């Protein structure tokens, strides 16, 4: 390989409403980008394949493809169902072999992981988690999900973490809303996702002012979940993004309440004295996912 060789990757951020595809190698070297509405797996992946084929004709062959996708999914390369979406309430997507649909057209390594693990890796490579060995990336938006990077590796375990579905305390007097999760009703996601906010208050979160009581409640649920993650994984930093998680007025409430739930038990200065540097917004803004897909592609070659 020549020293000036710049690898070319395909990157996919697969979301529940849209797929973002990009070609390039790094935040400052994105050479093409496209978005497609998420419809059926066959139609959506056909758009991705067509776009990548066109770009390969212009720029040359890709070295690898990184695919950060909504889940649940099978990220284990040793599994028979690697590259599949696992059973999901999303119509048409259960058991879709989305990586197989790429493999038919591209004979290169494909790294496949959850959207939030991808975003975590992007933040480690270029964003707010540079130099950290153990940290969490949490997105709070339409749904809630978390990626974990532990001792230098993305955490998968049995399948992959589902941090949105942890159980939090639900005071039915303060918050009579029964919850919106189809599996657990009032799990963390069921109480604190964008969907839950809209169902509880009858308005989208983006229409609720910063002094609305919704936000104190929201910060409380997020802080409970973060406190659980701090106790379980001992992250060196927590990055919180997503449409709700990125709200500027919410972050100080989340920081203060998380410190409150931990209540001095974790004797670390970064929690006791500098929590504003411990729970932070993404360094890559809303680009953690697609840039994380590039980072996944890089790792596929190693
Ligand atoms: Zn749930």
């Amino acid at each position: 390989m020549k020293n000036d060789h710049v690898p070319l990757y395909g990157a996919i951020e697969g979301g529940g409403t849209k797929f973002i595809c990009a070609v390039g190698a790094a935040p400052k070297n994105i050479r093409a980008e496209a978005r497609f509405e998420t419809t059926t797996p066959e139609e959506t992946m056909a758009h991705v394949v067509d776009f990548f084929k066109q770009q390969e004709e212009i720029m040359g062959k890709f070295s690898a493809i990184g695919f950060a996708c909504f889940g649940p999914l099978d990220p284990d390369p040793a599994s028979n169902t690697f590259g599949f979406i696992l059973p999901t309430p999303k119509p048409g997507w259960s058991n879709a072999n989305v990586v197989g649909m790429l493999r038919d057209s591209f004979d290169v390594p494909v790294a496949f992981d959850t959207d939030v693990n991808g975003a975590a890796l992007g933040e480690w490579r270029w964003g707010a988690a540079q130099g950290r060995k153990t940290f969490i990336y949490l997105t709070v938006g339409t749904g809630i999900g978390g990626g974990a990077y532990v001792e230098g590796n993305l955490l998968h375990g049995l399948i992959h973490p589902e941090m949105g579905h942890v159980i939090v305390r639900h005071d039915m007097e303060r918050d009579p809303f029964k919850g919106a999760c189809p599996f657990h009703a009032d799990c963390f996601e069921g109480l604190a996702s964008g969907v839950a906010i809209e169902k509880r208050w009858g308005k989208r979160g983006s229409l609720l002012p910063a002094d609305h009581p919704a936000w104190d409640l929201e910060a409380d649920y997020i802080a409970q979940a973060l406190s659980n993650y701090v106790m379980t994984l001992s992250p060196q930093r927590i990055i919180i993004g997503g449409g709700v998680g990125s709200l500027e007025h919410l972050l100080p409430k989340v920081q203060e309440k998380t410190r409150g739930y931990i209540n001095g038990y974790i004797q670390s200065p970064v929690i006791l004295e500098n929590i504003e540097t411990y729970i932070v917004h993404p360094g890559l803004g809303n680009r953690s996912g697609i840039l994380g897909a590039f980072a996944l592609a890089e790792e596929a070659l190693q």
Side-chain angles (χ1 to χ4, degrees):
M1 191 184 287
K2 287 191 298 184
N3 285 340
D4 60 351
H5 177 82
V6 178
L8 188 68
Y9 301 119
I12 309 164
E13 180 187 8
T17 57
K18 66 179 184 296
F19 269 52
I20 302 175
C21 302
V23 179
K28 293 199 171 79
N29 180 20
I30 291 182
R31 298 169 63 181
E33 190 163 327
R35 287 162 186 252
F36 307 107
E37 190 188 339
T38 307
T39 55
T40 64
E42 294 75 16
E43 187 178 66
T44 310
M45 293 308 296
H47 284 307
V48 173
V49 168
D50 288 348
F51 172 69
F52 279 170
K53 281 285 170 201
Q54 288 164 14
Q55 299 306 317
E56 276 200 334
E57 278 184 28
I58 300 166
M59 300 179 202
K61 295 281 181 200
F62 298 166
S63 306
I65 296 173
F67 189 174
C69 192
F70 70 86
L73 53 78
D74 186 345
D76 177 4
S79 159
N80 288 335
T81 52
F82 168 70
F84 283 56
I85 305 292
L86 297 175
T88 165
K90 193 168 177 55
W93 286 80
S94 292
N95 306 309
N97 181 5
V98 289
V99 170
M101 294 175 197
L102 288 173
R103 283 254 167 81
D104 292 342
S105 302
F106 301 92
D107 184 22
V108 296
V110 178
F112 183 60
D113 214 322
T114 60
D115 45 6
V116 281
N117 261 356
L121 195 63
E123 287 291 322
W124 174 80
R125 184 74 172 78
W126 296 294
Q130 293 175 70
R132 265 46 180 212
K133 285 181 70 179
T134 298
F135 69 94
I136 284 169
Y137 174 92
L138 186 78
T139 180
V140 182
T142 309
I144 300 181
Y149 191 80
V150 177
E151 300 289 345
N153 289 293
L154 290 173
L155 180 64
H156 298 107
L158 184 65
I159 296 173
H160 52 73
E162 284 285 4
M163 296 188 200
H165 296 268
V166 296
I167 306 301
V168 293
R169 285 182 196 155
H170 180 196
D171 177 348
M172 290 295 286
E173 267 182 43
R174 180 185 182 195
D175 176 22
F177 178 63
K178 66 183 189 330
C181 175
F183 286 82
H184 319 111
D186 62 350
C187 65
F188 174 35
E189 179 178 283
L191 291 170
S193 68
V195 170
I197 293 171
E198 187 170 352
K199 283 192 174 170
R200 179 189 290 109
W201 302 104
K203 267 186 188 174
R204 294 173 62 88
S206 56
L207 299 175
L208 299 173
D211 61 355
H212 192 281
W215 300 119
D216 214 45
L217 188 66
E218 180 70 13
D220 192 86
Y221 289 133
I222 295 173
Q224 289 192 51
L226 296 191
S227 169
N228 290 333
Y229 309 148
V230 170
M231 304 302 182
T232 310
L233 291 172
S234 202
Q236 294 164 317
R237 178 166 271 189
I238 295 173
I239 300 169
I240 177 165
V244 175
S246 296
L247 291 170
E248 286 300 330
H249 64 77
L250 191 60
L251 188 62
K253 283 192 170 84
V254 169
Q255 290 161 340
E256 182 195 336
K257 286 173 185 286
T258 304
R259 185 163 52 193
Y261 277 112
I262 294 170
N263 199 26
Y265 189 67
I266 306 295
Q267 286 287 316
S268 168
V270 78
I271 291 176
L272 296 171
E273 296 158 24
N274 299 109
I275 196 138
E276 70 283 357
T277 67
Y278 183 65
I279 302 170
V280 300
H281 282 150
L284 302 174
N286 61 7
R287 302 284 286 167
S288 314
I290 189 62
L291 294 173
F294 281 111
L296 286 172
E298 269 183 352
E299 295 234 320
L301 284 184
Q302 286 165 11

